[in-house]
Amino acid sequence: MIIAIDGPAASGKGTLSRRLADHFGLRHLDTGLTYRAVAAALLVKGLPLGDEPIAIEIAHNLDLSQMDKTVLSSHEIGEAASRIAILGGLRQELVELQRRFAETPPGAVLDGRDIGTVVCPDAAVKLFVTASPEARARRRTDEMISKGVDANFVSVLDDLKRRDERDSQRTVAPMKQADDAVLLDTTEMDIETAFQAAVEVVSRAKDI
Ligand code: DC
């Protein structure tokens, strides 16, 4: 059983994916962390983000169990991840790693930008989770403030829009709703309502 969840930053797809994995007894992979881990390694080494051979080598040696979400969640690493995500060879390397994870029993929930379209096109269930840029910026700003990080709604909104643009306009595996994905717009939903809606979609697919 593979569940593919795609959508833009701060749409709620990460929380939903984790909760769905718990609920259905599946493993979970936040594929954004794989791009972030490679970006972070390049930044630490002071290497240019466009150095694809080195990026591929880092990806090849990536240990999924060592990816620390707390360390990798910074704004700077997110930006760098979005920049290296245009590199086709790097994507190929990471997609192989992600597929191996997905295909290991008993299956998994993967979330990202290209799971339903590229990584797991045959997933049993596909969701595209989105929300208006303003709703996402509000959530992201509140989340940062609650962690004691200085955040400004307007600049968070600008950043999100820029990242959406880059992630959806790149030529290789752009962020896109798969033709057979169910759209879940969480603009007017709290996380509990969104979770119940997602469980319903998965349960329906399991019955088929
Ligand atoms: O979901 P996130 O914010 O952690 O992702 C960081 C960047 O990684 C995102 O801006 C684009 C890239 N990414 C991608 O290209 N494909 C994925 N499946 C996941 C993330």
Side-chain angles (χ1 to χ4, degrees), residues 1-3 20-26 106-107 109 123-126 182 198-208:
M1 172 90 173
I2 296 173
I3 301 177
L20 282 175
D22 278 352
H23 186 84
F24 289 102
L26 298 168
V109 181
V125 190
K126 297 181 187 178
V182 175
V199 167
E200 211 169 292
V201 173
V202 177
S203 302
R204 233 183 294 140
K206 269 169 68 104
D207 289 343
I208 292 168

Side-chain angles (χ1 to χ4, degrees), residues 75 79 82-83 155 157-167:
H75 174 69
E79 272 296 304
S82 175
R83 285 174 193 279
S155 63
L157 180 60
D158 277 354
D159 279 349
L160 280 180
K161 285 183 174 168
R162 222 182 18 250
R163 192 118 79 84
D164 286 356
E165 167 90 11
R166 197 184 300 127
D167 291 344

